[in-house]
Amino acid sequence: MDKRLDWHSRFLQQAAWTKPLRDYLAHAALGGAGRVLEAGCGTGAVLMDLDASDLHGLDLDPARLTLAQRHSPAAALVCGDTLSLPYRPAAFDAVVSHFLLLWLPDPQRALREMKRVTRPGGCVLAMAEPDYSQRVDEPHSLAELGRWQAASLRRQGADPDIGPRLAGLFHQAGIRLVESGPLRQAGQRQLTPRERELEWAVLSADLAGSVPADDLQKMRELDEQAWQSGKRALHVPTWYAWGQV
């Protein structure tokens, strides 16, 4: 990941995408959960929105944890690895993650760790994981963008198609699956200029060195023209899963 990007703004954008789901899960899965851990909390974009009396966050990046502390000052933060969580067994009522598992070399091990530190009867939630294999780009002239970005994520060690496999991963980790599926979309909406700028900042960072700058610029011009004319559609199916320990 490019450290020059404004990652907190990007994470806030992603958190806005999943806000309706998180509101639902707050009642369905997190109701009454007092001690909650977000694994891979980043800059705190989701952590700051979690409602818990005893809130904890963990991330590998100390700089992001500094920002998370600013945005969620009541949270107890730890620099650590989700593949080996530095907590005792059954320490939490719930453990949540958000766009995390795709980045891990062993997501099943991470889920087993989340299960280990969750009390019996508690919940493990993977609130957002993508499926780039079903990405939609319209008009068709922009379809190459999705293929470029999925290839870039793989080069970075990520699994851009992990979403539909969440249910199987939960089962293999010994977590009793309660619910899984793609996030429901309220319909295609027009991205604001700021949102489009963030999308292109991420794309440019991901594709630098792998796609010629001239080709990328042409795609950006086509993308902007499509948004301006109302013909642009962009959708990456995003999956969630939650289960009980």
Side-chain angles (χ1 to χ4, degrees), residues 185-219:
Q185 300 295 315
Q188 179 68 22
R189 65 180 181 85
Q190 180 83 7
L191 295 187
T192 67
R194 174 57 177 158
E195 288 175 316
R196 299 202 293 272
E197 181 182 330
L198 277 171
E199 286 291 330
W200 273 99
V202 174
L203 269 170
S204 298
D206 281 348
L207 301 179
S210 63
V211 176
D214 288 347
D215 290 350
L216 199 56
Q217 182 58 34
K218 289 176 184 176
M219 279 290 193

Side-chain angles (χ1 to χ4, degrees), residues 156-193:
Q156 295 175 63
D159 181 350
D161 307 330
I162 195 173
R165 301 203 310 278
L166 283 178
L169 288 168
F170 268 59
H171 176 74
Q172 293 160 17
I175 301 167
R176 184 175 66 83
L177 186 70
V178 175
E179 188 175 356
S180 180
L183 276 64
R184 295 179 180 86
Q185 300 295 315
Q188 179 68 22
R189 65 180 181 85
Q190 180 83 7
L191 295 187
T192 67

Side-chain angles (χ1 to χ4, degrees), residues 113-136:
E113 276 292 278
M114 294 180 194
K115 176 190 175 186
R116 179 184 66 80
V117 302
T118 302
R119 65 166 176 78
C123 294
V124 174
L125 299 87
M127 295 190 287
E129 298 293 341
D131 180 12
Y132 273 79
S133 72
Q134 300 300 312
R135 173 170 165 151
V136 174

Side-chain angles (χ1 to χ4, degrees), residues 50-74:
L50 293 176
D51 184 14
S53 58
D54 189 5
L55 190 58
H56 295 251
L58 173 137
D59 202 272
L60 269 175
D61 189 328
R64 289 184 178 179
L65 284 174
T66 298
L67 290 173
Q69 193 71 77
R70 184 185 309 165
H71 298 127
S72 189

